[in-house]
Amino acid sequence: MPLPSGPPAGSDAELIAMGKQFGAFYRSVHLFYQGLRFDPPLERAAYTLLVRIAGDQPDRLSVLAEDLGLDISTVSRQVAALEAAGLATRAADPSDRRASVITPTEHGREVYARNRAIWVNAVRELLTDWTPQQRCEFSALLGRLIDSITTRYGGTEPADRGPRVEGESST
């Protein structure tokens, strides 16, 4: 998806225009999350943590904080909120009984699945007039940007590039 017409390619003005797009995207994502009607209502940070433990895998608090790029005290507060809501629990880490692993409860898995469906439907609505090719191209380019950011500034793994369009190469 090309940037709006504007400064010449390769110029500082082009990079400044992209920076403005970054800001607009960040604000738009915030508005998007505010518009979601999660059931039950969850703070975005709590939902992100629930996604990580129910959608990916349970893990230690320190690993969750590192993976999410958050301070351990922030993650600890969100875990406490998830525990209070009956969505997560702490279990002894089998590899080190002194540490605990944050795991979703059955109710937490149900809430995750329900909210995931809400999120998917909202994204589907946003992209209803995009072709499959445009969705895949955007996903690939966004994944490439995320990879560049995490390679340069630190991160745990490359972005998931999403589905491939038939005939698309892996390069």
Side-chain angles (χ1 to χ4, degrees), residues 32-33 36 38 47 115-124:
F32 172 73
Y33 274 96
L36 294 175
F38 285 143
Y47 179 68
N115 287 332
R116 174 57 63 156
I118 290 168
W119 186 90
V120 167
N121 286 332
V123 172
R124 183 179 291 118

Side-chain angles (χ1 to χ4, degrees), residues 15-104:
L15 299 175
I16 291 167
M18 289 175 71
K20 289 179 181 180
Q21 292 289 2
F22 272 46
F25 181 73
Y26 180 79
R27 289 185 300 276
S28 296
V29 168
H30 180 72
L31 289 172
F32 172 73
Y33 274 96
Q34 284 182 323
L36 294 175
R37 299 292 175 238
F38 285 143
D39 178 26
L42 293 173
E43 287 184 33
R44 192 161 117 194
Y47 179 68
T48 300
L49 183 58
L50 184 61
V51 166
R52 175 59 176 76
I53 64 171
D56 292 336
Q57 68 181 28
D59 230 323
R60 288 181 178 196
L61 194 66
S62 59
V63 173
L64 294 171
E66 183 179 335
D67 286 356
L68 297 173
L70 298 171
D71 185 80
I72 198 161
S73 64
T74 301
V75 175
S76 184
R77 281 192 304 276
Q78 294 304 326
V79 166
L82 291 175
E83 286 177 309
L87 301 174
T89 187
R90 296 172 196 250
D93 185 341
S95 66
D96 181 354
R97 291 278 197 218
R98 296 170 296 171
S100 59
V101 174
I102 313 306
T103 61

Side-chain angles (χ1 to χ4, degrees), residues 119-130:
W119 186 90
V120 167
N121 286 332
V123 172
R124 183 179 291 118
E125 271 185 40
L126 287 174
L127 304 180
T128 191
D129 60 342
W130 290 37

Side-chain angles (χ1 to χ4, degrees), residues 108-155:
R109 285 185 186 88
E110 292 167 4
V111 167
Y112 162 74
R114 188 168 54 243
N115 287 332
R116 174 57 63 156
I118 290 168
W119 186 90
V120 167
N121 286 332
V123 172
R124 183 179 291 118
E125 271 185 40
L126 287 174
L127 304 180
T128 191
D129 60 342
W130 290 37
T131 67
Q133 178 68 35
Q134 289 171 325
R135 290 190 304 266
C136 287
E137 182 178 342
F138 177 75
S139 181
L141 291 172
L142 187 59
R144 184 174 174 190
L145 176 63
I146 292 165
D147 288 349
S148 294
I149 291 169
T150 56
T151 298
R152 171 108 179 167
Y153 297 103

